[in-house]
Amino acid sequence: MDKLVIRGGTPLAGELTVSGAKNSVLPILAAALLAAAPVRIHNVPRLRDVTTMIALLRNLGADVAGEDTTVEVTQSGVSRFRAPYELVKTMRASFLLMGPLLARFGRAEVSLPGGCAIGPRPVDQHLKGFEALGAQVELEDGYVKARAPRGLRGCRIVLDVPTVGGTENLLMAATLARGTTRIENAAREPEIVDLATCLAAMGARIHGHGTPVIEIEGIPALRGCQHRVMPDRVEAGTYLIAAAATRGNVRLLNGQPSSLRAVLEKLADAGAAIETEPARIALDMHGERPKAVDIETAPYPGFPTDMQAQFLAMNTVARGTSRVVETIFENRFMHLNELSRLGADARLEGKRTAVVRGVARLRGAPVMATDLRASFGLVVGALVARGATAIDRIYHIDRGYEGIERKLAALGADVRRVSGDRATP
Ligand code: EPZ
């Protein structure tokens, strides 16, 4: 199993190109099933989760061809409608195949994603929406089995929570339904806007994406299209936070500052000088230690839960005490114990609040990655720690951060990947 060994203490400095967004490309790959002709997707990041989604599409009979960061999905061979447990268990986003399969082929069987490391994550809102669209939904042998032999029909859906995946699944399903669908209390994340833009390029009629009410006028068929995936705002924010924690100075290219407002504001509160252009973000700490900043996660446009662990890690070496409140997921504080191993002073107060007292420095130690974003929290800790930190189980990081050691090294970090006893450059 690969480890990442980081020798901390160097401020991150230099220029970095942000990859395509993981949480955008996964629904877009699933959406390709809706079209009647090939869909060509550009700016695809090379990540384990993308490989998993491609394996799922091939398993259904789709042809997926790709070179470098462009992937083309051809759906004409799809002859199976089941996403098996073996693949779904490794990636919850597999459940996004449900909407497209149901809408295009009238049937879908997708293994129930179940709980995961960041707490229970139900799919009740997805299922409620599919039923409202006229599908028969059953749970059998750990699979969600849905059928709509005569097609889906437009309806009004009011979500109990603004779920990102639920909004995406229902949006995709509604594009081929008869009549108009209205999704209320929809999630507003930029990745939903990106998905809707791709669906519109296929000919779908969608209004209101990016607002809490989305209306979809169903049409009988969608055509092939080309789409360029938006930049990964979580990757961008993560490297900015890491730079701030190390008192660094970085410039991100191909970033999208408009999707990162809440994070940029908090980084400015921490003392960072930030300059933005439409596709470029520069951050400079002028060599200063960050100030502690309180954060509370919330659905977009609030502070993203996917950057909570990294920001908390920065707070562990900040001047002052901060409170970090997680409102989206239970159990998304597993990085606390591991950061404590590096000398951080952070404790839980109840289930949803962490109180972090900044210390002058951390010390390197062996730590264990637990989930994708928590793992990068440990990377931030390792980058500021004195001495070497070995982070075990970094397959979690490879799910969502493209070329992590290459990108960190480009910013001057002392980092190497070690597989077993063997170090690779
Ligand atoms: C997406 O997950 C992201 N994943 C997550 O990123 C992200 O943390 C999350 O949205 C929140 O922003 C992808 O886009 C692939 P939700 P998703 O449905 O869609 C509750 C990462 O690290 N809920 O918006 O699974 C749920 O329990 C990942 O890149 C229901 O109650 O998240 C949670 O409390 C991790 N019923 C809240 O809603 C439902 O049917 C938000 O979940 C669905 C969700």
Side-chain angles (χ1 to χ4, degrees):
M1 213 176 286
D2 287 5
K3 289 184 190 174
L4 214 54
V5 179
I6 296 178
R7 211 167 261 285
T10 317
L12 294 186
E15 210 164 74
L16 194 77
T17 301
V18 180
S19 300
K22 168 181 87 77
N23 289 348
S24 211
V25 74
L26 295 175
I28 286 170
L29 280 165
L33 290 175
L34 289 163
V39 171
R40 219 170 149 74
I41 309 167
H42 305 284
N43 202 28
V44 176
R46 279 157 293 185
L47 298 171
R48 264 175 43 124
D49 276 8
V50 170
T51 311
T52 305
M53 186 57 95
I54 290 174
L56 279 157
L57 290 173
R58 287 190 173 135
N59 202 263
L60 298 171
D63 180 61
V64 186
E67 83 272 351
D68 201 22
T69 56
T70 295
V71 164
E72 186 169 279
V73 183
T74 307
Q75 324 72 356
S76 48
V78 171
S79 56
R80 290 177 293 274
F81 312 98
R82 184 179 169 93
Y85 173 71
E86 293 68 38
L87 289 169
V88 176
K89 74 173 181 199
T90 67
M91 185 184 73
R92 185 184 155 82
S94 318
F95 205 69
L96 294 170
L97 292 167
M98 195 97 206
L101 282 174
L102 195 54
R104 175 87 197 281
F105 304 102
R107 53 193 283 210
E109 293 184 11
V110 182
S111 170
L112 209 51
C116 72
I118 59 174
R121 294 166 75 187
V123 287
D124 56 307
Q125 299 301 305
H126 305 230
L127 304 187
K128 183 179 89 168
F130 292 139
E131 280 177 339
L133 285 162
Q136 297 151 16
V137 180
E138 281 173 16
L139 291 179
E140 207 181 289
D141 310 327
Y143 279 74
V144 177
K145 301 185 176 177
R147 281 181 171 268
R150 287 190 300 282
L152 299 171
R153 52 177 156 65
C155 65
R156 174 173 176 242
I157 299 166
V158 184
L159 295 172
D160 295 345
V161 282
T163 147
V164 175
T167 302
E168 291 167 345
N169 236 339
L170 299 171
L171 167 62
M172 292 188 281
T175 55
L176 293 178
R178 276 190 316 280
T180 299
T181 301
R182 187 178 157 92
I183 307 175
E184 297 180 24
N185 198 22
R188 291 187 277 164
E189 268 65 6
E191 292 76 13
I192 288 169
V193 176
D194 204 26
L195 170 65
T197 306
C198 177
L199 291 167
M202 294 178 193
R205 297 190 188 143
I206 304 168
H207 307 280
H209 40 292
T211 80
V213 180
I214 307 180
E215 275 194 352
I216 308 109
E217 222 183 294
I219 54 172
L222 293 172
R223 55 177 183 261
C225 75
Q226 301 220 28
H227 179 77
R228 185 176 173 80
V229 175
M230 67 174 281
D232 196 316
R233 65 190 170 105
V234 185
E235 189 198 29
T238 296
Y239 281 100
L240 291 173
I241 296 167
T246 60
R247 311 180 189 193
N249 172 14
V250 296
R251 287 170 308 285
L252 302 187
L253 309 178
N254 188 31
Q256 197 186 70
S258 58
S259 64
L260 271 165
R261 284 208 184 99
V263 178
L264 296 181
E265 273 170 27
K266 291 292 181 184
L267 284 168
D269 291 348
I274 294 170
E275 282 175 23
T276 60
E277 288 169 24
R280 186 177 163 280
I281 310 171
L283 175 144
D284 193 347
M285 289 300 283
H286 296 296
E288 294 290 326
R289 184 176 167 195
K291 290 196 277 275
V293 176
D294 293 340
I295 56 167
E296 177 163 335
T297 63
Y300 190 83
F303 191 96
T305 173
D306 288 348
M307 286 181 243
Q308 177 260 103
Q310 304 88 314
F311 208 93
L312 185 151
M314 183 194 80
N315 275 337
T316 65
V317 289
R319 258 182 294 124
T321 298
S322 58
R323 294 172 75 79
V324 173
V325 183
E326 172 58 56
T327 72
I328 307 293
F329 291 115
E330 290 169 30
N331 203 20
R332 211 175 191 185
F333 278 125
M334 279 178 301
H335 38 293
L336 278 198
N337 280 341
E338 297 301 298
L339 284 168
S340 302
R341 294 172 54 76
L342 302 177
D345 181 351
R347 62 185 162 77
L348 270 182
E349 205 178 82
K351 276 189 169 170
R352 298 201 173 246
T353 303
V355 178
V356 185
R357 205 171 58 82
V359 295
R361 68 175 58 89
L362 302 178
R363 290 175 309 280
V367 290
M368 186 95 81
T370 49
D371 71 71
L372 169 57
R373 308 302 173 188
S375 311
F376 214 112
L378 302 181
V379 170
V380 173
L383 288 169
V384 293
R386 181 170 286 181
T389 298
I391 307 174
D392 205 351
R393 300 202 177 162
I394 57 154
Y395 56 84
H396 288 293
I397 298 188
D398 294 332
R399 288 187 55 189
Y401 288 97
E402 185 175 62
I404 178 169
E405 64 271 34
R406 174 174 51 80
K407 291 196 175 190
L408 284 173
L411 296 177
D414 180 344
V415 52
R416 68 202 160 97
R417 182 180 288 257
V418 179
S419 85
D421 311 317
R422 193 170 52 86
T424 54

